[in-house]
Amino acid sequence: MRNKIVAGNWKMNLSFNEAQELVDELLDRLEEQEDLKCEVILCPPFPYLELLTDFEFDVQLYNVGAQNCAAYEKGAYTGEVSPSMLKSLDVDYCIVGHSERRKYFNETDAMLAEKVNRLVENEMSPIFCVGELLEERESNRHLEVVRQQVEQGLFHLNAEAFGKVLIAYEPVWAIGTGKTATPDQAQEMHAFIRDLVRKKYGDKVADKIRILYGGSCNAGNATAVFSQPDVDGGLIGGASLKAEDFVSICIQASQL
Ligand code: PGA
């Protein structure tokens, strides 16, 4: 039995004050949920990470993730943020290979594999994003595209290191467009990814890995997508900026 995970990707949004207000409201709403069974991960922009990690909780209400990291350990890389810096702030997760980074920042599979390496060396969990473009789905190449992304970004890891990884399937045509994959489309891809993992690492690892869905996931469609057997939760963009919507998604995940 895999616990669901709901991760919020704030992307490049919010001023510091707005971020503070969002955290306060999230905390109020999450605290009201006595028995939330899903794991919550919040991924703010770098300057706001400490705002989220600087809390002492009686019960851990959420974990914190970054949205990106350097492929290097340290040194003369102006403007970059290393996994060890993130780790020193108690950040345990990091999104890697989001389609926006692949597209606007030309991140290649080889670079992403290096980022994954630096993260697992620092005992952090990559949230590794994969997903096809609309034209790739329309030409029925979606499974092949995602297979390559998974293999090239992750399959160099040994089983122990791979055990730290989360995968997020985010069809590019569904991100920020209001067009979600149908529950069947999500299930098909998630089962396909789990099967790739099974062939490479065996049953135990495949049954354990969490595969999240992302792409216009919101309070109105979360239950339908998350109730698919191979969907272990979601990576939420737009809807993670509204505390009420995000917590509603967490509650839905927790009830499945
Ligand atoms: P969206 O973004 O929920 O706004 O579509 C998801 C993501 O890019 O992680």
Side-chain angles (χ1 to χ4, degrees):
M1 175 70 187
R2 296 179 295 268
N3 263 7
K4 301 264 191 247
I5 296 182
V6 179
N9 174 11
W10 294 3
K11 306 195 180 181
M12 197 175 73
N13 291 299
L14 309 178
S15 68
F16 185 74
N17 285 346
E18 288 166 342
Q20 206 150 23
E21 280 168 23
L22 178 57
V23 179
D24 288 345
E25 201 184 334
L26 283 168
L27 283 174
D28 285 348
R29 288 178 183 272
L30 288 171
E31 256 163 358
E32 280 169 17
Q33 304 306 317
E34 303 230 310
D35 193 20
L36 204 61
K37 287 190 198 68
C38 70
E39 184 183 338
V40 178
I41 304 172
L42 300 176
C43 304
F46 288 132
Y48 309 154
L49 283 168
E50 244 191 303
L51 186 65
L52 273 78
T53 54
D54 211 9
F55 273 105
E56 295 279 331
F57 295 113
D58 292 336
V59 180
Q60 182 86 25
L61 292 174
Y62 58 75
N63 287 300
V64 181
Q67 298 173 16
N68 179 35
C69 65
Y72 312 103
E73 181 53 32
K74 65 174 183 174
Y77 299 102
T78 302
E80 290 290 285
V81 175
S82 71
S84 59
M85 291 174 180
L86 297 170
K87 187 69 188 174
S88 71
L89 287 173
D90 289 331
V91 174
D92 290 322
Y93 293 87
C94 183
I95 299 171
V96 177
H98 191 283
S99 62
E100 288 150 16
R101 299 216 55 92
R102 291 177 191 260
K103 180 175 173 195
Y104 302 125
F105 303 96
N106 304 319
E107 294 197 353
T108 62
D109 287 324
M111 279 161 75
L112 299 177
E114 283 305 312
K115 292 186 182 204
V116 166
N117 290 342
R118 294 300 84 72
L119 286 165
V120 296
E121 283 160 17
N122 283 281
E123 298 191 346
M124 296 174 68
S125 285
I127 304 175
F128 189 79
C129 300
V130 295
E132 80 284 0
L133 305 171
L134 184 59
E135 60 264 31
E136 290 165 339
R137 177 162 284 269
E138 284 174 343
S139 58
N140 206 23
R141 284 184 291 135
H142 50 293
L143 297 177
E144 183 53 23
V145 167
V146 168
R147 184 180 66 73
Q148 274 194 27
Q149 292 171 336
V150 170
E151 285 181 358
Q152 292 179 9
L154 297 174
F155 276 8
H156 60 286
L157 296 172
N158 64 30
E160 192 193 339
F162 188 84
K164 295 212 64 86
V165 173
L166 270 60
I167 295 177
Y169 168 55
E170 301 204 301
V172 180
W173 46 271
I175 295 177
T177 57
K179 204 175 165 199
T180 330
T182 64
D184 285 349
Q185 286 173 324
Q187 171 56 24
E188 179 200 32
M189 185 62 86
H190 284 230
F192 174 75
I193 295 170
R194 198 177 303 284
D195 199 47
L196 292 175
V197 173
R198 195 175 303 283
K199 286 186 185 122
K200 171 82 181 165
Y201 295 103
D203 287 340
K204 211 167 143 204
V205 175
D207 291 338
K208 221 173 121 212
I209 185 163
R210 256 82 67 90
I211 308 174
L212 313 183
Y213 170 80
S216 298
C217 200
N218 58 41
N221 59 29
T223 295
V225 182
F226 295 175
S227 51
Q228 296 301 308
D230 286 293
V231 178
D232 304 314
L235 180 55
I236 318 297
S240 72
L241 296 170
K242 292 189 207 108
E244 186 179 0
D245 291 3
F246 185 71
V247 174
S248 162
I249 295 170
C250 296
I251 294 168
Q252 292 177 49
S254 162
Q255 287 168 344
L256 291 168

